[in-house]
Amino acid sequence: MPRRTATMLASTLMLFALLCAGVFLKVPYSEMSPGPTVNTLGESHGEPVLNISGHKTYPTTGHLNMTTVRVTGADYDMNLLEAVYGWLAGDTIVVPHENLYPDGKTDKQSTQENAEEFSQSQESAKVAALKQLGIEVPVRVVVSTVVKGSPSEGKLHAGDVIKSVDGAPVAEPGDVAKLVTKHKPGEPVEFTIVPAADAAEAEKAGREPSTTVKVTIVAGKAEDDGHAIVGIRAGVDHTFPFPIDIKLADVGGPSAGLMFALGIVDKLTPADLTGGKFIAGTGTIDDAGKVGPIGGIQLKTIGARKAGARYFLTPAENCASAAAHVPDGLTLVKVSTIGDAEQALEKIAKGDTAGLPSCTTS
C-alpha cells in the first residue's frame, strides 16, 4: 500500500476512533442554553398567562416577556463530543453537573423544588403588584408543614389558619413558637384554627371564614434542649381581595416573579405601561417588591433578543455579568425594586430612554 494512502487510512481510522470515544465517553457536565420566553400580557397554550377577575382590568399592548434557561436533566449523561460542542458554541454554557444538581439531586427532586419555587414566586408577585398599586393584601398565619410522627400529626394540617394559641391572638409565625414554649412537655396546648378546606372555600367565595375549631395538642419534648414542641412550622398566607390566576406550564423556579408582577400592574393600570414596546426581563421578587438576582443571565438576554426584545429589565446584582456580554440591539435596564421597573417602563413607553439606569461591567 502506498505510504500516502496508508497515512490517510490511519488518520481516518484515528478520527473515527476519536469520534467514537467522544460519543461513548461520558463526562460529568451539564449544558445550559436559552429557553423560551413568554409574554406575561399574552397567552400560553391558548390561555391567558394572567387571568384577573372581580376587579376592573384594562387593555394592554406590547410585551413584558419572562425569560427562561433550558438545562439538561439530572439523569442525562453528557458525552465528550456534546461537551466540546457546548464549550465552542456561543449561546450555550457547559458547567459541572454538580453545580446544577448538588448532592445527587434527581430529576424528580429538581422538578419538585422548581415547582415549589415557582408557586412561591407567583404568590410574591401578586402581593408585590397589589402593594405597588396601593391595594391592601391581608396576611394570616397558617400551618406550613406538620412533622411526621409529631404530636400535631393528624390533628393539624398544612393550610390550617391559626387564629390563636391558648386564647392569645396570633399575628405572625413567631408568635406560635413563643406561645408553645411557655408550656412544659406533656402539657396541653389549645389551638384555635380555621381548617384549611374551610379557609380555601371562604377565600374562593370572597368572604371571611365563619367557622373556627379548637384543637388540643399535648406538647412533646425537643431533643436539643428539652423545650416544649408540637411539631409544626408556621408560615404566612395572603388573602387576596380578588382572584389573580397565573397559568404557565413547563416552567419552574423563582426568576419570573418580577415580570409576573409587572404584568399584573399593567393589567390593573389605566395607562399602557409598555407603550407597545417589546420589553423582557427577569428577577425574583419578594412581598415588599425587592428584586433579587437569578442564574443564567447571559443566556436569558440572548433568548430575549432572539425573541425580539429591545429592552431587558436586569436585577442590579446581575448587571455586571449581563453587561459583559450584551446581545446587539438590546438595552439593559438596571432595577432593584418593582418601583424602579415601573418607572423604567413609563420612560420606555414615552421614548424617554436617555435617563434609564443602565448596567455596567463594574
Short mmCIF file of all heavy atoms in Angstrom, two decimals, residues 168-196:
data_model
loop_
_atom_site.label_atom_id
_atom_site.label_comp_id
_atom_site.label_asym_id
_atom_site.label_seq_id
_atom_site.Cartn_x
_atom_site.Cartn_y
_atom_site.Cartn_z
N ALA A 168 -54.58 33.35 73.06
CA ALA A 168 -53.80 34.55 72.71
C ALA A 168 -53.75 34.68 71.19
O ALA A 168 -53.34 33.75 70.50
CB ALA A 168 -52.39 34.45 73.27
N PRO A 169 -54.18 35.83 70.65
CA PRO A 169 -54.19 36.01 69.20
C PRO A 169 -52.79 35.85 68.59
O PRO A 169 -51.78 36.21 69.21
CB PRO A 169 -54.70 37.44 69.02
CG PRO A 169 -55.43 37.75 70.28
CD PRO A 169 -54.70 37.01 71.36
N VAL A 170 -52.75 35.30 67.38
CA VAL A 170 -51.50 35.09 66.66
C VAL A 170 -51.45 36.06 65.48
O VAL A 170 -52.33 36.05 64.63
CB VAL A 170 -51.41 33.63 66.16
CG1 VAL A 170 -50.23 33.47 65.20
CG2 VAL A 170 -51.27 32.68 67.33
N ALA A 171 -50.43 36.90 65.46
CA ALA A 171 -50.31 37.90 64.40
C ALA A 171 -49.21 37.57 63.39
O ALA A 171 -49.25 38.02 62.25
CB ALA A 171 -50.04 39.29 65.00
N GLU A 172 -48.22 36.80 63.80
CA GLU A 172 -47.12 36.43 62.91
C GLU A 172 -46.61 35.05 63.31
O GLU A 172 -46.86 34.58 64.43
CB GLU A 172 -46.00 37.46 62.96
CG GLU A 172 -45.44 37.71 64.35
CD GLU A 172 -44.42 38.84 64.35
OE1 GLU A 172 -44.69 39.90 63.76
OE2 GLU A 172 -43.35 38.62 64.94
N PRO A 173 -45.90 34.36 62.39
CA PRO A 173 -45.47 32.99 62.67
C PRO A 173 -44.69 32.82 63.97
O PRO A 173 -44.87 31.82 64.68
CB PRO A 173 -44.60 32.65 61.46
CG PRO A 173 -45.16 33.49 60.36
CD PRO A 173 -45.56 34.78 61.02
N GLY A 174 -43.85 33.78 64.31
CA GLY A 174 -43.05 33.68 65.52
C GLY A 174 -43.86 33.63 66.79
O GLY A 174 -43.40 33.10 67.82
N ASP A 175 -45.09 34.15 66.74
CA ASP A 175 -45.95 34.13 67.93
C ASP A 175 -46.29 32.70 68.35
O ASP A 175 -46.44 32.42 69.54
CB ASP A 175 -47.25 34.89 67.66
CG ASP A 175 -47.03 36.39 67.47
OD1 ASP A 175 -45.96 36.87 67.88
OD2 ASP A 175 -47.92 37.05 66.91
N VAL A 176 -46.42 31.81 67.36
CA VAL A 176 -46.81 30.44 67.66
C VAL A 176 -45.76 29.76 68.52
O VAL A 176 -46.05 29.16 69.56
CB VAL A 176 -47.03 29.64 66.36
CG1 VAL A 176 -47.38 28.18 66.68
CG2 VAL A 176 -48.15 30.27 65.53
N ALA A 177 -44.50 29.86 68.12
CA ALA A 177 -43.41 29.23 68.89
C ALA A 177 -43.30 29.83 70.29
O ALA A 177 -43.09 29.10 71.27
CB ALA A 177 -42.09 29.39 68.14
N LYS A 178 -43.44 31.14 70.39
CA LYS A 178 -43.35 31.79 71.70
C LYS A 178 -44.42 31.28 72.65
O LYS A 178 -44.17 31.03 73.83
CB LYS A 178 -43.47 33.31 71.54
CG LYS A 178 -42.28 33.97 70.85
CD LYS A 178 -42.53 35.46 70.68
CE LYS A 178 -41.38 36.12 69.94
NZ LYS A 178 -41.63 37.57 69.70
N LEU A 179 -45.63 31.12 72.14
CA LEU A 179 -46.73 30.68 72.99
C LEU A 179 -46.61 29.20 73.35
O LEU A 179 -46.92 28.79 74.48
CB LEU A 179 -48.06 30.95 72.29
CG LEU A 179 -48.41 32.44 72.14
CD1 LEU A 179 -49.57 32.63 71.17
CD2 LEU A 179 -48.76 33.04 73.50
N VAL A 180 -46.15 28.38 72.41
CA VAL A 180 -46.00 26.96 72.68
C VAL A 180 -44.91 26.72 73.72
O VAL A 180 -45.06 25.90 74.64
CB VAL A 180 -45.68 26.18 71.39
CG1 VAL A 180 -45.26 24.74 71.70
CG2 VAL A 180 -46.89 26.17 70.46
N THR A 181 -43.80 27.44 73.60
CA THR A 181 -42.67 27.20 74.52
C THR A 181 -42.90 27.76 75.91
O THR A 181 -42.06 27.58 76.80
CB THR A 181 -41.37 27.81 73.93
OG1 THR A 181 -41.59 29.20 73.59
CG2 THR A 181 -40.93 27.07 72.70
N LYS A 182 -44.02 28.38 76.15
CA LYS A 182 -44.39 28.76 77.51
C LYS A 182 -44.82 27.53 78.31
O LYS A 182 -44.86 27.56 79.54
CB LYS A 182 -45.52 29.79 77.50
CG LYS A 182 -45.10 31.18 77.06
CD LYS A 182 -46.26 32.16 77.15
CE LYS A 182 -45.84 33.58 76.79
NZ LYS A 182 -46.96 34.54 76.89
N HIS A 183 -45.14 26.47 77.59
CA HIS A 183 -45.57 25.24 78.22
C HIS A 183 -44.38 24.34 78.54
O HIS A 183 -43.27 24.55 78.04
CB HIS A 183 -46.53 24.47 77.30
CG HIS A 183 -47.87 25.12 77.17
ND1 HIS A 183 -48.92 24.82 77.99
CD2 HIS A 183 -48.32 26.05 76.28
CE1 HIS A 183 -49.98 25.54 77.63
NE2 HIS A 183 -49.63 26.30 76.59
N LYS A 184 -44.66 23.31 79.33
CA LYS A 184 -43.69 22.24 79.57
C LYS A 184 -44.13 21.02 78.76
O LYS A 184 -45.32 20.85 78.48
CB LYS A 184 -43.65 21.88 81.06
CG LYS A 184 -43.12 23.00 81.96
CD LYS A 184 -43.14 22.58 83.41
CE LYS A 184 -42.60 23.70 84.31
NZ LYS A 184 -42.63 23.31 85.75
N PRO A 185 -43.17 20.18 78.37
CA PRO A 185 -43.55 18.95 77.66
C PRO A 185 -44.58 18.16 78.46
O PRO A 185 -44.48 18.05 79.68
CB PRO A 185 -42.23 18.19 77.55
CG PRO A 185 -41.18 19.25 77.56
CD PRO A 185 -41.70 20.30 78.50
N GLY A 186 -45.59 17.67 77.76
CA GLY A 186 -46.65 16.91 78.42
C GLY A 186 -47.87 17.74 78.74
O GLY A 186 -48.93 17.20 79.06
N GLU A 187 -47.77 19.06 78.66
CA GLU A 187 -48.92 19.93 78.93
C GLU A 187 -49.75 20.13 77.66
O GLU A 187 -49.21 20.12 76.55
CB GLU A 187 -48.44 21.29 79.45
CG GLU A 187 -47.81 21.24 80.83
CD GLU A 187 -47.42 22.63 81.33
OE1 GLU A 187 -47.44 23.58 80.53
OE2 GLU A 187 -47.09 22.72 82.54
N PRO A 188 -51.07 20.34 77.82
CA PRO A 188 -51.93 20.57 76.65
C PRO A 188 -51.78 21.99 76.11
O PRO A 188 -51.62 22.95 76.88
CB PRO A 188 -53.34 20.34 77.20
CG PRO A 188 -53.22 20.69 78.65
CD PRO A 188 -51.84 20.27 79.07
N VAL A 189 -51.80 22.11 74.79
CA VAL A 189 -51.74 23.40 74.12
C VAL A 189 -52.99 23.51 73.25
O VAL A 189 -53.25 22.63 72.43
CB VAL A 189 -50.49 23.56 73.24
CG1 VAL A 189 -50.42 24.96 72.65
CG2 VAL A 189 -49.23 23.24 74.04
N GLU A 190 -53.78 24.58 73.43
CA GLU A 190 -55.03 24.71 72.69
C GLU A 190 -54.86 25.65 71.51
O GLU A 190 -54.51 26.82 71.67
CB GLU A 190 -56.14 25.23 73.61
CG GLU A 190 -57.49 25.30 72.90
CD GLU A 190 -58.59 25.84 73.78
OE1 GLU A 190 -58.65 27.08 73.95
OE2 GLU A 190 -59.39 25.03 74.31
N PHE A 191 -55.10 25.14 70.32
CA PHE A 191 -55.07 25.93 69.09
C PHE A 191 -56.50 26.24 68.64
O PHE A 191 -57.36 25.35 68.65
CB PHE A 191 -54.38 25.15 67.96
CG PHE A 191 -52.87 25.14 68.05
CD1 PHE A 191 -52.23 24.33 68.98
CD2 PHE A 191 -52.10 25.93 67.22
CE1 PHE A 191 -50.85 24.30 69.07
CE2 PHE A 191 -50.73 25.92 67.30
CZ PHE A 191 -50.09 25.10 68.23
N THR A 192 -56.74 27.46 68.26
CA THR A 192 -57.99 27.82 67.61
C THR A 192 -57.66 28.05 66.14
O THR A 192 -56.85 28.93 65.80
CB THR A 192 -58.61 29.09 68.21
OG1 THR A 192 -58.85 28.87 69.61
CG2 THR A 192 -59.93 29.43 67.52
N ILE A 193 -58.27 27.25 65.27
CA ILE A 193 -57.91 27.28 63.85
C ILE A 193 -59.14 27.38 62.96
O ILE A 193 -60.27 27.11 63.39
CB ILE A 193 -57.12 26.03 63.45
CG1 ILE A 193 -58.01 24.78 63.56
CG2 ILE A 193 -55.86 25.86 64.29
CD1 ILE A 193 -57.47 23.55 62.87
N VAL A 194 -58.89 27.78 61.72
CA VAL A 194 -59.85 27.60 60.64
C VAL A 194 -59.29 26.49 59.77
O VAL A 194 -58.19 26.64 59.22
CB VAL A 194 -60.03 28.88 59.80
CG1 VAL A 194 -60.99 28.61 58.64
CG2 VAL A 194 -60.54 30.03 60.66
N PRO A 195 -59.96 25.35 59.66
CA PRO A 195 -59.44 24.26 58.84
C PRO A 195 -59.11 24.71 57.41
O PRO A 195 -59.80 25.58 56.86
CB PRO A 195 -60.57 23.22 58.85
CG PRO A 195 -61.30 23.50 60.13
CD PRO A 195 -61.24 25.00 60.30
N ALA A 196 -58.09 24.12 56.84
CA ALA A 196 -57.61 24.55 55.53
C ALA A 196 -58.71 24.55 54.47
O ALA A 196 -58.82 25.48 53.67
CB ALA A 196 -56.46 23.64 55.09
#
